[in-house]
Amino acid sequence: MTITKGKFCWVDLTTTNIEASKKFYGDLFQWTFTEEKAPQGGAYWMANVDGKGVAGLMGQTPTQKGVTPTWNTYFTVDSLAEFATKAEKLGAKTIVPRQPVGDFGALAVHQDPTGAYFCTWENTKSGDMTDKTFTSKTPGFFAWTELVTADIDRAGKFYSEAFGYSPEAITFGEGSPKYYIFKSNGEPQAGLMAMPSDAGKMPPHWANYVSVANCDRTLERATQLGAKTLFGPQDIPTIGRIATIQDPQGAVISFIAG
């Protein structure tokens, strides 16, 4: 199966309270949930919009006790083993080596040279995570992902060599942080943004954006449901209006209208 290496293909949440997270995100993004059996045991909840899976939710394992709930970002590769070898030579660390996920495929977890965590996914014949409709402007679907890091030059070099990306610099106006679009075969795959000067001790991370009909109303509802506003709402020229929140369990997620 031919796939686009480095394609943003999936997100899932690892949380301390799965029922509370389902209630929060179900209300906020109008997601419905179906339970799947995780190959390693336990439940994996599929978040759906109009019958299509848009994200996964799962409870933390005992070894993850004390870890802040996190949204995990996945990118496709042809071979997890080959990618891990290449990534390590480029300065990354393999945190979780190749792990089969039933008949769907296999995953691995890495930490890039600037400190951000990301996941890679390898398809099987019966599992295809390259559906072009995964990212969409339809409300409830994920629309975009971007890396926010203090060492933008090192990150740009790493991902360009690891995934074969071609970075394209863009500007959002005077005083805005440096921003690059990672492209593969001419198609945008992800973003790369310099850490804002007022970010404090925020670690490098991949930020995922959900499409919403109205950013301000979504932010208001998120606050009513117990979330904390971290950024926005703010208009991004030619892109849309965005905001970032921390959900009641501590996971960070962004959304965009536009």
Side-chain angles (χ1 to χ4, degrees), residues 27-239:
D27 187 309
L28 190 64
F29 298 134
Q30 289 73 60
W31 287 345
T32 59
F33 298 93
T34 52
E35 185 177 3
E36 306 285 342
K37 291 297 182 182
Q40 288 73 33
Y44 188 90
W45 292 88
M46 189 73 70
N48 306 287
V49 174
D50 296 330
K52 179 174 178 57
V54 297
L57 280 74
M58 55 187 168
Q60 289 184 337
T61 64
T63 59
Q64 294 171 320
K65 185 177 181 180
V67 176
T68 301
T70 303
W71 280 98
N72 309 297
T73 309
Y74 291 75
F75 300 92
T76 52
V77 296
D78 292 309
S79 166
L80 291 174
E82 291 178 6
F83 178 84
T85 298
K86 183 175 185 179
E88 288 166 9
K89 289 181 179 178
L90 294 171
K93 298 177 182 178
T94 299
I95 307 301
V96 178
R98 188 182 192 280
Q99 178 175 303
V101 183
D103 295 330
F104 298 100
L107 64 83
V109 181
H110 314 271
Q111 185 178 34
D112 75 23
T114 74
Y117 293 90
F118 68 99
C119 305
T120 47
W121 179 264
E122 176 187 302
N123 284 324
T124 61
K125 292 182 179 180
S126 60
D128 186 357
M129 297 285 279
T130 62
D131 189 339
K132 293 183 182 300
T133 63
F134 171 67
T135 52
S136 170
K137 290 186 177 181
T138 301
F141 282 70
F142 278 83
W144 189 241
T145 190
E146 65 190 17
L147 174 64
V148 184
T149 181
D151 196 340
I152 194 170
D153 294 330
R154 190 176 186 188
K157 185 175 187 298
F158 169 76
Y159 287 99
S160 295
E161 295 185 17
F163 286 136
Y165 287 152
S166 298
E168 178 181 302
I170 62 174
T171 179
F172 294 119
E174 187 177 350
S176 298
K178 285 185 178 180
Y179 199 99
Y180 293 86
I181 299 292
F182 282 136
K183 290 188 174 182
S184 181
N185 299 321
E187 294 293 326
Q189 303 296 338
L192 170 61
M193 186 178 83
M195 186 76 71
S197 58
D198 59 353
K201 296 182 180 180
M202 181 181 293
H205 64 281
W206 280 94
N208 300 304
Y209 289 78
V210 179
S211 294
V212 296
N214 186 296
C215 181
D216 296 70
R217 291 178 184 172
T218 303
L219 182 59
E220 180 181 6
R221 184 56 181 157
T223 302
Q224 293 171 350
L225 294 169
K228 177 182 178 182
T229 301
L230 299 181
F231 177 83
Q234 180 172 319
D235 291 316
I236 305 299
T238 74
I239 302 297

